[in-house]
């Protein structure tokens, strides 16, 4: 019988949701027996049995030697030839292969199986025009520029031997130490001439308090109690005594803020440096404003457009988010046990975030369809030219990158066009105040 033959079967819907359907299918022996005959004939063509040529093994021997193979092949064939027909009866277009469960079959009996399938949601996006947005603009002030100049001076400071010879709250202290826990030395906690920046936020408080006021040559016993969730399991929850010797005390010496300093930064003079800082802050502020506007648009769209999305796609997105978090934590030195605990604790949060991400993608695609927003070849060519202009010596690399990532680039450009459309059609109220100094 032809592989295109359609068999008669009974099917019923067990559960139906906007993106999910669960069904049960039954196929009578009169239909499975037809397919079984075809399956055995197919096995006969390739079966190898001692004493017989390939393709010439008698059918009774085939049935005696290959019942399990025939049964498995029969089930596979019958499911393939009926599952999509069952979905077609319900006018349900699956986005992927249905998941088959609960198969029941013995030779001569009715074949029964259940399955679940998912489809794309029907999306009609609502309320995406005239979105009310509050845009708060920060004006760059001289105080912001001066703060950035202070940071630049600090970054270009030189370390010199302390003029007072005494450890202060912002000193750089060069120490040698050994660590002890319950009176026993910890081999891994040992250092010679290690520099500690007491002004740094991540410096342990015990060192900040214990070294303050010390002088070169002093010895100090500094006790550190590590938190129970500390990344290093060997130290987590333990008290460690650092027997510390102060080898040297240093402090920062800032350069003078003048035209020479600006020239060292690659600029003509101090005024030019201030101008560049202002431009940088204004560009950063523009990005912040755009990000805030986009965030408000997304929140509005998600709030006004609630619908079911395929669970399998949400799960795929959730796995991506968790992997991204895990990879980042690994890069920061976290161990597998700590990462596993964080994943477990964040499971619900990432599930909710994944659902929103997937729903948003459907919303944006719906807007694209409604407003006929597309990315043409000219826009792609213009984007490639921008990259070529920015990388004039890497033409081949840019060409290869575009060839390999054309679909992703087009998707990114389309998203930019969607948000531009949404902003252009939004109702934006603006307010302005001085940028906070931070």
């Amino acid at each position: 019988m032809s592989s295109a033959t359609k068999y008669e079967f009974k099917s019923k819907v067990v559960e139906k949701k906007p993106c999910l359907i669960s069904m049960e299918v039954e196929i009578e022996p009169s239909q499975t027996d037809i397919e079984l005959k075809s399956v055995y004939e197919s096995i006969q063509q390739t079966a190898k049995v001692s004493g017989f040529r390939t393709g010439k093994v008698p059918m009774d021997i085939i049935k005696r030697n290959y019942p399990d193979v025939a049964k498995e092949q029969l089930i596979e064939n019958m499911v393939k030839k009926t599952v999509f027909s069952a979905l077609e009866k319900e006018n349900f277009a699956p986005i992927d292969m249905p998941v088959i469960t609960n198969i029941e079959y013995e030779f001569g009996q009715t074949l029964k199986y259940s399955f679940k399938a998912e489809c794309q949601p029907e999306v009609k996006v609502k309320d995406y025009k005239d979105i009310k947005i509050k845009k708060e603009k920060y004006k760059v002030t001289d105080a912001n520029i001066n703060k950035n100049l202070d940071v630049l001076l600090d970054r270009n400071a030189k370390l010199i031997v302390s003029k007072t010879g005494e450890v202060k709250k912002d000193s750089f202290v060069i120490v040698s130490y050994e660590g002890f826990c319950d009176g026993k030395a910890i081999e891994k906690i040992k250092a010679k001439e290690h520099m500690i920046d007491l002004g740094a936020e991540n410096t342990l408080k015990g060192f900040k308090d214990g070294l303050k006021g010390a002088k070169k040559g002093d010895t100090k016993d500094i006790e550190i109690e590590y938190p129970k969730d500390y990344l290093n399991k060997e130290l987590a929850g333990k008290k460690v005594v650092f027997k510390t010797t102060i080898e040297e005390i240093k402090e920062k010496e800032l350069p003078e803020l003048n035209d020479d300093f600006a020239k060292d930064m690659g600029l003509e003079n101090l005024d030019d440096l201030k101008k560049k800082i202002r431009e940088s802050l204004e560009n950063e502020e523009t990005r912040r404003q755009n990000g805030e506007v986009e965030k408000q648009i997304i929140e509005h769209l998600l709030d006004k457009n609630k619908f079911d999305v395929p669970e399998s796609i949400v799960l795929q997105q959730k796995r991506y988010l968790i992997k991204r978090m895990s990879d980042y934590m690994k890069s920061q030195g976290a161990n597998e046990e700590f990462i596993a605990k964080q994943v477990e604790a964040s499971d619900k949060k990432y599930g909710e975030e994944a659902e929103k991400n997937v729903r948003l993608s459907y919303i944006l695609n719906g807007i694209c369809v409604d407003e006929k927003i597309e990315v043409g070849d000219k826009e792609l060519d213009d984007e490639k030219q921008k990259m070529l202009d920015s990388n004039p010596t890497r033409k081949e690399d840019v060409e290869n990158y575009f060839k390999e990532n054309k679909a992703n680039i087009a998707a990114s450009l389309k998203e930019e066009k969607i948000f531009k459309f949404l902003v252009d059609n939004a109702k934006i109220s603006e307010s302005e105040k001085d940028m906070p100094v931070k």
Side-chain angles (χ1 to χ4, degrees), residues 244-282:
T244 308
T245 301
I246 290 83
E247 307 284 2
E248 189 67 79
I249 305 166
K250 295 195 174 187
E251 61 186 36
K252 284 183 178 179
E253 183 177 67
L254 302 180
E256 287 188 46
L257 183 60
N258 52 28
D259 288 343
D260 288 336
F261 176 73
K263 289 175 182 176
D264 289 339
M265 297 292 100
L267 298 162
E268 292 184 10
N269 51 45
L270 186 55
D271 286 339
D272 192 23
L273 175 57
K274 290 179 179 179
K275 179 183 175 183
K276 290 293 182 185
I277 291 174
R278 180 179 292 276
E279 289 175 356
S280 176
L281 289 172
E282 288 174 344

Side-chain angles (χ1 to χ4, degrees), residues 13-168:
V13 176
V14 178
E15 181 183 25
K16 191 170 185 180
K17 296 179 180 179
C19 293
L20 176 71
I21 193 169
S22 298
M23 297 186 69
E24 292 178 351
V25 176
E26 292 187 3
I27 310 171
E28 297 294 331
S30 61
Q31 303 297 299
T32 56
D33 287 349
I34 296 171
E35 183 66 22
L36 183 59
K37 181 176 183 296
S38 177
V39 167
Y40 273 130
E41 288 173 352
S42 177
I43 294 172
Q44 186 182 41
Q45 292 175 12
T46 58
K48 294 182 179 180
V49 177
S50 179
F52 298 94
R53 287 183 296 149
T54 300
K56 299 297 182 180
V57 182
M59 184 57 72
D60 60 330
I61 295 176
I62 293 291
K63 291 181 178 180
R64 188 165 63 246
N65 287 7
Y66 296 96
D68 292 341
V69 174
K71 181 179 177 181
E72 183 178 340
Q73 189 63 56
L74 166 73
I75 292 171
E76 182 180 337
N77 290 358
M78 295 306 291
V79 169
K80 285 181 179 178
K81 293 175 181 180
T82 56
V83 67
F84 289 107
S85 296
L87 288 169
E88 191 176 340
K89 282 167 62 176
E90 303 302 326
N91 196 28
F92 192 95
I95 57 176
D96 206 342
M97 283 295 296
V99 177
I100 311 299
T101 57
N102 302 324
I103 298 172
E104 296 179 20
Y105 176 69
E106 295 297 337
F107 292 124
Q109 296 182 12
T110 299
L111 169 60
K112 301 178 181 179
Y113 70 88
S114 305
F115 71 86
K116 290 183 178 181
E118 290 183 310
C119 68
Q120 304 284 13
E122 292 184 14
V123 180
K124 182 62 180 175
V125 187
K126 301 180 296 184
D127 300 326
Y128 63 85
K129 290 182 180 179
D130 298 324
I131 300 173
K132 292 181 180 178
I133 293 170
K134 292 181 180 179
K135 188 174 184 180
E136 191 176 56
K137 301 172 73 173
Y138 288 150
K139 183 174 66 175
V140 177
T141 67
D142 290 343
N144 303 127
I145 295 171
N146 291 335
K147 180 63 177 177
N148 276 261
L149 286 170
D150 290 342
V151 172
L152 267 180
L153 290 172
D154 187 72
R155 287 177 180 171
N156 288 274
K158 293 188 292 185
L159 286 182
I160 62 171
V161 175
S162 171
K163 294 174 183 176
T164 64
E166 186 176 291
V167 176
K168 297 179 180 178

